[in-house]
Structure formats: C-alpha cells, structure tokens
Amino acid sequence: MTTEIETRERLAPGPASSSVLWEYAPSLESTDHVKIASRYNLFIGGKFVEPHSKKWFPTLNPATEEHLSEIAEADAEDVDRAVKEARRAYDKVWRKISASERAKYIFRIARLIQEKSRALAVAETMNGGKPIKESRDVDIPLAAAHFFYYAGWADKLEYAFPNRNVAPVGVAGQIIPWNFPLLMAAWKIAPALAAGNTVVLKPAETTSITALMLADILQEADLPPGVVNILTGAGATGAALVSHDGVDKIAFTGSTDVGKRIQRALAGTEKKLTLELGGKAPNIVFEDAPIDQAVEGIINGIYFNQGHVCCAGSRLFVQESVAEPVIRKLRDRIGTLRVGNPLDKNTDVGAINSRAQLEKIQELVASGVEEGAEMFQSSCSLPARGYWFAPTFFTGVSQSSRISQEEIFGPVLSVLTFRTPEEALEKANNTPYGLSAGIWTEKGSRILKMASKLRAGVIWANTYNKFDPTSPFGGYKESGFGREGGRHGLGPYVVLS
Ligand code: NAP
Ligand code: MG
C-alpha cells in the first residue's frame, strides 16, 4: 500500500476486534470434492488438445497466491483450428438439426451446471477470489438460469421476431472478462446456440478454470463436437480471434480500451459486433428514500464482488439534506463488512482478482487522496498473502477528479452531493460511460422521470445489482452497444430478412 493510503482515517474497528460485532466461527466451504486438474488443454472440436505453442501459463488463487493449475496458451494456429471446427460443426450439424433438438442440448447443459453447481462455485471462488456465498448464490445459479432461459427460445425464434425470416449469423467469436467467469460464458454461449450459431469462446487469462469445467459439461451433454470451442490464452489470443476471417460475429465483454481496439480492427469488415464495456454508475439517493434500505443498496452496489462489477454503483449522489446521516451510516456499515477468506461462508468481501488489478485500484485511490478528497476506509485486518483491498469511500469528491470519472473496478466508492433532481441528472450523466444507474426515492413519478433522462442501459429503483436472464443488459456511450439477456439478447445472433 502507498503511504497516502496509510494516512487513511481509521474507522470503528472492523470485525476482527470490534466490540459491537460478534466474532463468527469460520465456516469454510470444503474443497475436497473439487477436482482441479494440474494442467488444462484447449477444447477444440469436442476434445481437449495440446496448444500448438506447447506453452502453458500458471493460474493461481488470488486470495492465497497459491498455484492452482497450468492453462494452455492458444496462438493464431489454434484459433484457426477452432474456427474451422466451429464452421464445420455449423455447416454439417448445428444448422441442420431441428430447433427443438438444439433446445434439448442447451437444456441439458443447464441441468448439468445445476448438478455440478457446488464444484463450480468452489472453483470460481478459488480461481477468482469472490466470496463463496456469491459464486454459490449468484454466479452459478444465474449461469444455469441463462441456459434454461435460452433453451426455451430455441424453437420459438419466429415469436421473438414476428413476421421475419430468422437465420443464424454463423460462427461467433466470444471474449469475456474475469469478473463473472462462468456467468459471462453463459451470457455469451446460451443465446448464440439457441439462435443456431456455433462458438469459439476466449475466457480471461486469470480465470479460465470454470470455462474449462464447462467444456467437460459440454462433453457430458454430448454437444456435437465443434459447436462450442474454448480457447484459453491472453490478449493476443483474443486479438487473433477478432481478426480471423472465418468468424462472422464478435461478442466482447471487457474494458472500453480493448473494446475500442476491437472496433477499429473490425471497421470495414462484414463482421457483426457487440461490445459490453466499462461503467461508472451513479447511485442516486433522494431525501425521501428509505435511508437504511438505501445504505444496504449502496453497500451491495459497490462492495459486492469487491467492486469487480461493470455496473457497480461506484458514484453515490446523495441529496444534501440527507448527506450527513447517509455518510454516517455508510461509515458504520463498511466497518462491519467481513473481508477475508473467500471460501468462508461468512465473508462479504473477497480477494482482488489479480496483482495488476490491485495495483490499478491502489493507483486510483492514491490519486483521489492527492486530489484532496477525504478517504474513509474500513480498518478490517487484511490477510498477509494474496491481493486485498479494504472497502473504501471518498467524500468531498470533485466531478472532474479521476475517482469520479475513471472506472476503478474495485471496492471504492466516490460520494458526491446534489440539491435538485436536475442537478443529480446532470452530474450523473457527466461521464463517458452509460451502463447502469440506481435511483432511491419513495416517489414513483420521480423514478420514471429520472429513468427516462438517465443515459444508462440498466436502471434499478430502490434496489441494486439485480439480474435475471429475462432482462436485457447493455450500455450507452462508451459502455458499448448491443444487449445481452432477454429476447433482445437473441438479436445480435440472428440475421433477419
Ligand atoms: P480486458 O482487459 O478488456 O479483457 C477482457 C477480455 O479481452 C479478456 O479475455 C482479455 O484477455 C481479452 N483481451 C485483452 N486484449 C485483447 C485484444 N487486444 N483483443 C481481443 N481480446 C483481448 O478487461 P478485463 O480487465 O478482463 O475486465 C474488466 C473490464 O470489463 C472492466 O472495464 C469492466 O467494466 C468490463 N466489464 C464489462 C461488462 C459489461 O457487461 N459491460 C461485464 C463485465 C466486465 P486477458 O484476460 O488475457 O487479458
Ligand atoms: Mg486483460
């Protein structure tokens, strides 16, 4: 940690030494039943194959820095092999079988995810650092729910797009980030398969394990070889997939920087593109909001999943008349968040996903201190090994500061105030992003008015970070374009005539 961070104001002591909070006995999720292989190969044409490069890179547990496994690094030759397999499967099998047959496979994948949910949740937590209660209650059930939901659409496409002829796009290249590894894979694969496409998926470098466990599930579901191929590797693997001529569509979720690079690479080509990029969501609390409920929503909005959430409510706008109690309650509440072993069922905030991400958070937080904002940080004790960052918020933040403009992607909240709804709107819309927003007020009319003027793809009212496969998700402005989830999520995977 930087010296600036060490000058932080100390809060009431956190769980370890607090007198107001009970000491919970550890309740560790067992890892015995989870088989993580010592090495994973690429999943191409329904089989696990060695990478052409003969290179494997280590993957670790960010909470302990322990080595977990070795992951194959796919190069351009492997991308070519996988795309050709996906094309073959598309031409010879997937576009020929009936839609209700496709639905059966997708349904089977959903069932198998449910059956193996415990092992998937533990692996997700071990490789990604998120608390087990999140991977167990959010990530894995939602991944299964996405497959169930899109299994239902496969033979009903004519109802999704009435009076149109619906055809698949072809081979979809899909690139996903590390914050919701299996869930992002489900968001991408399920609608693509339902609409009749085949897939080459590139998981994030630091969190490949559950995608490879999904490859096992695809085999077990007897999915025809080549319908889904999974290529692990780093950014170069993703770039090779983007530029491969045999890919008809790219679906990307990740940072705005890489999204822009992909858009440039595809300019002038026939390939379809959807981008789900970064965010800097406003969470707006009006004076008539139920304050305790709002504080819980703010906490969930930013500290959930260590703030590794593109739609995290990372900017809090609170009406001046209630700023004092909201900030006081926020201070008290972050002091009670349990930070630590992600495998402990009591843990609220787990490990930061990687050293690189931790350094990025530290750098941005130091800039906030330097720019004169006042920092409050939980005084919870952090484990000695692994990547950790204590829940933090800033007050006295100016709108132009880096911490109110740039995505931190960590458990760090910037608090700003407003007097009128118009001022809240103007400030909330004042970022290059537009992914999501939250509104807290008792007045339904105010919710509707604010929602219609907020430039954000997803807006929650009196709640935050709620997801459902039936509901479309996506951004405005530099948060990208295209929608995932719901009937809208089929759109990018079909050609209509
Ligand atoms: P990232 O660095 O952009 O990486 C995303 C994916 O792209 C990873 O698989 C990455 O591989 C790959 N990649 C890197 N360089 C590439 C290139 N030149 N061409 C093609 N692929 C490339 O983002 P991240 O750090 O993993 O994820 C965090 C970001 O994702 C945040 O900005 C967050 O807001 C955004 N996100 C958005 C949504 C949404 O729905 N809008 C959802 C989740 C996350 P490596 O892992 O090997 O680098
Ligand atoms: Mg990266």
Side-chain angles (χ1 to χ4, degrees):
M1 284 210 174
T2 63
T3 45
E4 284 90 338
I5 294 171
E6 276 152 14
T7 62
R8 69 197 178 189
E9 178 176 337
R10 292 255 145 188
L11 288 175
S17 53
S18 172
S19 53
V20 282
L21 206 73
W22 293 278
E23 192 74 52
Y24 278 21
S27 172
L28 294 183
E29 176 72 34
S30 156
T31 59
D32 299 347
H33 59 101
V34 186
K35 287 188 204 71
I36 292 179
S38 59
R39 173 179 275 192
Y40 285 96
N41 284 321
L42 307 172
F43 186 66
I44 301 179
K47 293 195 290 275
F48 285 94
V49 297
E50 289 202 349
H52 167 258
S53 65
K54 298 277 180 276
K55 282 191 202 150
W56 288 262
F57 58 89
T59 192
L60 48 76
N61 180 340
T64 58
E65 297 175 65
E66 273 161 7
H67 175 91
L68 286 178
S69 183
E70 278 187 342
I71 309 289
E73 188 177 322
D75 64 11
E77 296 259 347
D78 299 308
V79 169
D80 187 52
R81 264 200 293 173
V83 172
K84 284 185 175 140
E85 281 296 324
R87 175 66 56 192
R88 193 197 48 72
Y90 177 71
D91 288 335
K92 300 255 167 11
V93 187
W94 203 240
R95 68 187 298 181
K96 292 200 170 150
I97 64 172
S98 69
S100 55
E101 272 302 295
R102 285 203 309 271
K104 277 193 225 165
Y105 286 110
I106 304 169
F107 187 80
R108 230 184 261 168
I109 297 166
R111 288 293 305 270
L112 284 163
I113 291 175
Q114 276 189 325
E115 255 173 48
K116 296 173 197 298
S117 59
R118 201 154 154 239
L120 287 164
V122 172
E124 202 73 301
T125 284
M126 288 173 77
N127 200 196
K130 65 176 64 194
I132 187 71
K133 72 178 175 195
E134 274 168 27
S135 45
R136 183 196 61 200
D137 299 345
V138 181
D139 293 61
I140 310 303
L142 272 176
H146 268 80
F147 280 101
F148 277 124
Y149 175 73
Y150 281 108
W153 271 121
D155 62 353
K156 299 175 196 70
L157 296 176
E158 69 263 42
Y159 299 100
F161 306 99
N163 304 318
R164 308 292 298 271
N165 290 317
V166 188
V169 178
V171 175
Q174 307 182 319
I175 302 169
I176 55 173
W178 43 260
N179 56 344
F180 291 90
L182 188 72
L183 182 56
M184 289 298 115
W187 276 30
K188 295 272 179 294
I189 295 173
L193 296 189
N197 304 271
T198 58
V199 165
V200 179
L201 176 87
K202 208 296 270 176
E205 189 180 354
T206 54
T207 53
S208 305
I209 290 179
T210 47
L212 295 158
M213 291 168 79
L214 178 64
D216 279 331
I217 287 175
L218 302 178
Q219 275 185 331
E220 208 175 314
D222 270 335
L223 188 72
V227 171
V228 174
N229 305 274
I230 299 177
L231 292 184
T232 45
T237 309
L241 181 58
V242 167
S243 60
H244 195 289
D245 287 340
V247 172
D248 300 305
K249 187 225 151 36
I250 292 290
F252 173 79
T253 297
S255 60
T256 296
D257 274 355
V258 175
K260 285 182 180 173
R261 242 180 286 161
I262 291 177
Q263 199 172 12
R264 274 195 291 271
L266 294 191
T269 72
E270 297 276 293
K271 287 178 203 169
K272 287 179 87 158
L273 174 66
T274 41
L275 296 174
E276 300 278 4
L277 309 175
K280 192 74 186 171
N283 210 353
I284 305 169
V285 178
F286 286 94
E287 60 190 358
D288 64 344
I291 297 294
D292 289 332
Q293 194 184 323
V295 168
E296 276 314 297
I298 297 161
I299 292 280
N300 175 43
I302 185 67
Y303 303 119
F304 164 67
N305 201 25
Q306 301 69 252
H308 294 341
V309 185
C310 49
C311 49
S314 53
R315 290 179 301 151
L316 169 64
F317 292 96
V318 53
Q319 199 155 16
E320 249 178 44
S321 47
V322 290
E324 191 278 321
V326 168
I327 292 169
R328 180 168 34 82
K329 283 171 189 265
L330 211 51
R331 285 180 56 156
D332 291 346
R333 184 65 180 95
I334 71 167
T336 64
L337 288 172
R338 294 168 198 279
V339 184
N341 189 349
L343 283 167
D344 191 322
K345 290 166 206 147
N346 301 317
T347 293
D348 298 310
V349 180
I352 301 302
N353 181 264
S354 65
R355 183 180 295 282
Q357 186 57 30
L358 177 60
E359 284 167 1
K360 185 181 153 199
I361 297 168
Q362 287 169 336
E363 196 264 325
L364 274 159
V365 165
S367 84
V369 175
E370 226 160 82
E371 285 178 313
E374 195 181 353
M375 183 169 77
F376 300 92
Q377 200 163 47
S378 162
S379 62
C380 58
S381 55
L382 298 178
R385 292 201 58 147
Y387 314 131
W388 301 93
F389 200 85
T392 299
F393 71 87
F394 282 99
T395 57
V397 178
S398 82
Q399 273 204 80
S400 58
S401 66
R402 288 184 64 201
I403 54 168
S404 71
Q405 288 292 323
E406 293 181 32
E407 185 180 44
I408 301 176
F409 224 57
V412 182
L413 174 70
S414 298
V415 183
L416 297 98
T417 57
F418 68 92
R419 288 184 188 167
T420 62
E422 291 69 32
E423 188 188 347
L425 269 174
E426 198 185 306
K427 288 181 167 175
N429 284 335
N430 180 22
T431 73
Y433 296 111
L435 191 57
S436 57
I439 306 167
W440 299 83
T441 173
E442 219 176 49
K443 284 202 182 72
S445 57
R446 181 175 282 157
I447 292 171
L448 294 174
K449 187 165 177 207
M450 292 294 290
S452 69
K453 299 204 164 142
L454 280 166
R455 303 269 292 149
V458 180
I459 297 173
W460 287 287
N462 295 328
T463 186
Y464 207 87
N465 269 343
K466 295 282 179 255
F467 301 94
D468 189 279
T470 62
S471 171
F473 185 92
Y476 278 53
K477 301 194 279 186
E478 292 202 6
S479 292
F481 48 81
R483 294 291 178 266
E484 293 186 306
R487 183 176 58 79
H488 301 73
L490 292 165
Y493 291 100
V494 296
V495 179
L496 300 176
S497 55

